[in-house]
Amino acid sequence: MVNETKRQRKIIKRLKTKDTAQWKLAINEADKIIDEIIKYMNIKAEMMDERLEQVNASQLSNIEEIKNAHQISVTIKRNPEFELNHNEAVRLIKIYEKAFREFNLID
């Protein structure tokens, strides 16, 4: 995998802007990292939704939150006009960060 610390810094940098488009990119990048982690776990399925369904709470404690965050990421990708406020963007990134910590990608 690519240097996750560098990618995480980029996500945080995007989140610190006042640009909604940057917040959306941060969420999509975090979602992509989670998908890479799941693929690395050798969970095989064609779509990320299907891979997430194969992950259980013993493998990732906040899997249900990740599934919900992923659905928002999908909505963002499909609907560029999707309304996202900064508090929601921060909340979503914190969900992804919890998973990153569990996999020792960040401190």
Side-chain angles (χ1 to χ4, degrees):
M1 282 190 269
V2 176
N3 182 334
E4 301 304 332
T5 304
K6 183 178 179 181
R7 289 172 78 182
Q8 180 62 15
R9 281 194 303 262
K10 187 174 182 180
I11 289 168
I12 297 304
K13 184 177 177 181
R14 289 185 191 280
L15 203 56
K16 288 182 178 180
T17 70
K18 296 184 186 283
D19 183 0
T20 306
Q22 291 298 310
W23 306 339
K24 291 176 181 180
L25 287 171
I27 291 163
N28 289 335
E29 179 64 18
D31 196 64
K32 183 177 177 183
I33 293 169
I34 290 293
D35 193 32
E36 291 172 9
I37 292 167
I38 292 169
K39 287 176 184 174
Y40 187 76
M41 292 167 60
N42 209 26
I43 294 177
K44 304 237 186 275
E46 188 172 327
M47 304 294 295
M48 184 174 175
D49 290 342
E50 296 165 347
R51 286 187 288 277
L52 288 172
E53 287 302 320
Q54 295 180 44
V55 177
N56 61 52
S58 69
Q59 295 168 301
L60 181 57
S61 69
N62 69 336
I63 186 60
E64 293 305 319
E65 290 177 303
I66 291 291
K67 289 177 187 177
N68 292 331
H70 171 66
Q71 289 308 310
I72 294 170
S73 178
V74 169
T75 301
I76 289 169
K77 290 172 193 163
R78 291 183 181 161
N79 178 7
E81 303 302 316
F82 179 76
E83 294 285 330
L84 180 71
N85 66 50
H86 191 254
N87 288 339
E88 180 67 0
V90 169
R91 184 186 75 79
L92 292 168
I93 293 302
K94 285 183 179 182
I95 289 169
Y96 289 113
E97 285 179 335
K98 181 176 180 184
F100 298 163
R101 280 187 186 86
E102 285 188 31
F103 289 106
N104 296 314
L105 297 178
I106 61 173
D107 295 326

